[in-house]
Amino acid sequence: MDYQAPSSQRRRCRRPLLLGACVLILLIVVCVCLGVAFGRRAAGPSNDRITGNFTTAIISKCKQFLGDENSSENKCEEVWDAFSKAYVGKDPCEVPMEAYDPLMQTVREKDACNRMLFWSKTKDIVHQFTEAKKCLLTLEDTLLGFVMDGQTWCSEKGSKETFTTGCPSWDKCERNPVRSFWNRASEAFAQAACGEVTAMLNGSISTPFNNNSIFASIEVKKFSGPKMRALNVVLVKTGNDTATCENDSLQTLQRVLNPSLKYTCKEVQRSKILDCISDPDRPCGDCW
Ligand code: N1C
């Protein structure tokens, strides 16, 4: 026959059990709370989202560009200062291109007459080209272009920090820090245009000269004589691409181009440029 404890004894037995369960529940609650608190901290500004690393990256790229000159340390601090003042503490959709004016004053580039290369939707081939042949220069071959290429940055209203993630995308708002920077730097690069200028446009798309591009909306508008003489378009084509120098958008380009400038356009196969890039003995003039 099963032994049945008297009910008072059963109650006494249950009490420690109940206490244990309470302690366990309490422990679980504490653990969950701690987990959430620490988890939130970990998911907050990740390492590359905090100012320190970005500052270091920008300053060291700047020094890499300027080389080991003694003055490069101070210059790069000065560049960082002017650069960060343009957007730190501001709403990331309220940074106008003019915010970078002081930065442009800080960095003065030498004239590169007859060597300037502009581009639109041809970034890869253009940079392969300038990497291999040193005859032409893009904005990314100047200090600011070199340092900022491929970077993302923004801040927040009232913040002292720079974030490198969670920033507005290119099209989310026009006055975002990255877009305004490229607009302003491109404007300065085009204002410095001198002699014969080359532009590599993409012959694989229906509108090689696109009104929304920086090339059309900023750079071409700044091209003017007498310092600049001509714009030579290289239309990069692949296989049987149909776009030609007669393309409607290129007619528009000729119409909006300052009339004091000479204009030429040449269709060139991408494979021809690539062959030229891979042969160190071929001079630039042979590439198209
Ligand atoms: O809008 P785009 O090209 O016509 O701008 C290209 C034009 C070039 O001639 C450059 O002088 O504007 C200048 N420029 C850069 O140098 C540059 N480097 C990196 C503009 N944009 C630049 N980027 C990034 O490329 C930029 O962050 C944005 O995402 C693209 C714009 O390229 P696009 O539309 O092909």
Side-chain angles (χ1 to χ4, degrees), residues 209 244-257 263:
F209 181 69
T244 67
C245 281
E246 300 345 287
N247 180 283
D248 282 353
S249 76
L250 295 175
Q251 307 281 345
T252 308
L253 167 56
Q254 288 180 72
R255 248 195 335 274
V256 298
L257 188 66
Y263 170 87

Side-chain angles (χ1 to χ4, degrees), residues 119-121 123 139-140 149 170 182 186 213-215 219:
W119 51 269
S120 192
K121 309 288 182 277
K123 189 174 181 182
L139 176 53
E140 291 73 24
D149 195 23
W170 188 262
W182 288 111
S186 305
S213 68
I214 296 186
F215 180 66
E219 293 176 328

